[in-house]
Amino acid sequence: MKTKVTESGPPLFQDLPVQIAPPFSFGVSRYPIWTKNKSQLIDRYLYYFILVTKHGSYIDGFSGPQRVNDSDLWSAKLVMERQPRWLRTLVLCELSPTKVRMLEELRNAQPPRNATKKEPRREIKIIGGDFNANAGAALQAAQIKDRTAAFCLLDQRTFECHWKTIKTIARFKSVGHKIELFYFLPIGWLKRAFSGVRDNAILDRWWGRSDWDELKNLASPDIASLVCQRFRKEFGYSSVVAWPIRNRRHRGSIMYYMIHATDHPAAPKLMGRAYRKAVDPFEPLEQLSLRGILQDEAVGSDHAGKGNR
Ligand SMILES: C[S@@+](CC[C@H](N)C(=O)[O-])C[C@H]1O[C@@H](n2cnc3c(N)ncnc32)[C@H](O)[C@@H]1O
């Protein structure tokens, strides 16, 4: 018999069957996102985000480059350099001092504000150290007011982002739309990674509870489904969708999900379009309209993230 996993804490009875939300209906996608395209997905989504908001604050909690020798796939760089430069505040956090220096070099290499292109004054703030300790400072630095549109990338490697940190960000705004989250959920190596962790407190902090061991009994889509449920129930997001990111070399198996949590009504469709178009040439912004995008997504979508809205 498998153990029941509940949303509210450790199970009361150990011998009940697994009973969580229906699994995701991820079909075979015509538009798979491979691991190497993740940063393009982030970049493309923020392009659409800007189309809607015309401004915004961006927080990247784990912002150093995954590969120090391949800055073309570095999401902080893509987002910083993306035009139009309408994001007003970027807060980039990073633990590694070497990567903090890379972030500073990247910031220093940015061109000055182009007033003729109506670029707003932009602030790029870099915070070195553990993001879990610095999340409060990052939120203050992001200058998020009631009407500020804000997006936070939590692109951890495996277990670095504490559940409490997600909660801090999700609950930060009490008026207006909550800060949108894009959270990395490891899948392909999750069960192996559990056994490599010597100190269970690391997993307790990552999962925010001590029943992470029960994830070992679940299939990957069910783990994603459970995380989506927790984001909705514990943080109050109206839409939480897990977008699969696949490994091209391992027969397209899912390596991880990027969990998109938002309560902006247009955002899930914008993410759907970003997922479909992540590697296509960018559409000129002046030819894009939110209404056009929403219509396209209503009739023609065939992206992979379904369910759990
Ligand atoms: C997966 S990488 C981020 C990849 C990046 N988004 C990209 O596009 O290349 C995770 C980053 O988080 C950093 N990191 C690890 N633990 C951290 C922590 N507790 N606080 C802040 N940064 C951390 C690592 O040094 C690494 O640069």
Side-chain angles (χ1 to χ4, degrees):
M1 239 353 151
K2 286 183 178 167
T3 308
K4 183 183 184 188
V5 177
T6 70
E7 289 180 52
S8 52
L12 283 176
F13 305 104
Q14 299 294 326
D15 57 349
L16 297 176
V18 172
Q19 197 177 46
I20 60 169
F24 278 76
S25 52
F26 290 127
V28 177
S29 172
R30 261 205 281 161
Y31 309 96
I33 292 281
W34 309 116
T35 48
K36 74 181 175 81
N37 303 130
K38 172 180 62 180
S39 51
Q40 288 159 287
L41 170 64
I42 294 162
D43 183 23
R44 179 62 70 116
Y45 177 73
L46 282 154
Y47 184 66
Y48 298 148
F49 178 93
I50 276 299
L51 166 79
V52 177
T53 63
K54 312 277 192 288
H55 77 284
S57 290
Y58 177 79
I59 300 174
D60 185 340
F62 302 83
S63 62
Q66 177 124 0
R67 292 174 204 81
V68 283
N69 298 323
D70 196 353
S71 62
D72 288 349
L73 297 177
W74 183 11
S75 47
K77 182 171 189 291
L78 296 182
V79 170
M80 206 184 285
E81 294 178 349
R82 174 63 45 219
Q83 301 222 17
R85 293 173 200 266
W86 288 347
L87 284 174
R88 284 192 201 142
T89 314
L90 289 89
V91 181
L92 308 171
C93 305
E94 171 58 47
L95 185 62
S96 147
T98 308
K99 293 184 182 183
V100 168
R101 277 195 295 282
M102 290 180 73
L103 285 159
E104 287 165 349
E105 280 164 24
L106 178 64
R107 175 182 60 188
N108 297 343
Q110 297 308 300
R113 166 179 176 243
N114 185 335
T116 54
K117 284 192 182 170
K118 299 204 173 108
E119 290 178 358
R121 266 174 230 297
R122 170 179 273 192
E123 286 197 61
I124 303 174
K125 301 174 186 176
I126 296 165
I127 301 180
D130 179 359
F131 180 62
N132 298 294
N134 294 334
L139 286 162
Q140 291 307 327
Q143 305 186 67
I144 299 169
K145 311 223 165 40
D146 291 351
R147 296 175 65 86
T148 308
F151 182 95
C152 178
L153 176 64
L154 297 172
D155 189 18
Q156 63 188 326
R157 207 164 258 156
T158 309
F159 299 130
E160 291 81 7
C161 186
H162 302 174
W163 196 265
K164 206 169 61 177
T165 303
I166 314 173
K167 185 167 156 187
T168 301
I169 299 160
R171 300 232 175 127
F172 182 72
K173 282 183 79 180
S174 53
V175 177
H177 295 298
K178 280 191 270 305
I179 298 175
E180 273 185 43
L181 294 175
F182 208 35
Y183 171 79
F184 176 101
L185 175 67
I187 283 293
W189 63 99
L190 183 68
K191 293 173 188 176
R192 212 170 350 115
F194 279 145
S195 47
V197 175
R198 299 256 155 99
D199 180 2
N200 284 353
I202 292 172
L203 297 170
D204 293 352
R205 286 193 291 266
W206 166 74
W207 187 236
R209 309 193 307 216
S210 53
D211 62 346
W212 45 265
D213 201 37
E214 293 167 24
L215 299 179
K216 293 177 186 168
N217 300 323
L218 299 182
S220 300
D222 295 339
I223 295 173
S225 190
L226 178 59
V227 172
C228 290
Q229 282 181 42
R230 289 191 63 195
F231 269 59
R232 286 194 302 172
K233 190 166 175 191
E234 296 175 29
F235 308 142
Y237 286 98
S238 55
S239 166
V240 186
V241 178
W243 294 92
I245 312 290
R246 296 171 185 273
N247 188 335
R248 190 168 217 157
R249 279 174 298 179
H250 286 84
R251 286 171 283 127
S253 62
I254 295 174
M255 291 304 281
Y256 52 87
Y257 292 93
M258 294 301 296
I259 309 266
H260 181 218
T262 178
D263 46 17
H264 191 294
K269 287 189 175 162
L270 295 180
M271 185 60 82
R273 185 182 180 96
Y275 193 88
R276 281 197 297 122
K277 296 201 173 279
V279 296
D280 291 357
F282 271 75
E283 314 94 313
L285 202 63
E286 54 279 10
Q287 287 172 22
L288 280 175
S289 74
L290 178 61
R291 183 182 289 186
I293 289 184
L294 296 183
Q295 276 167 0
D296 281 0
E297 293 308 305
V299 293
S301 63
D302 178 30
H303 45 68
K306 293 200 173 79
N308 250 328
R309 298 269 155 89

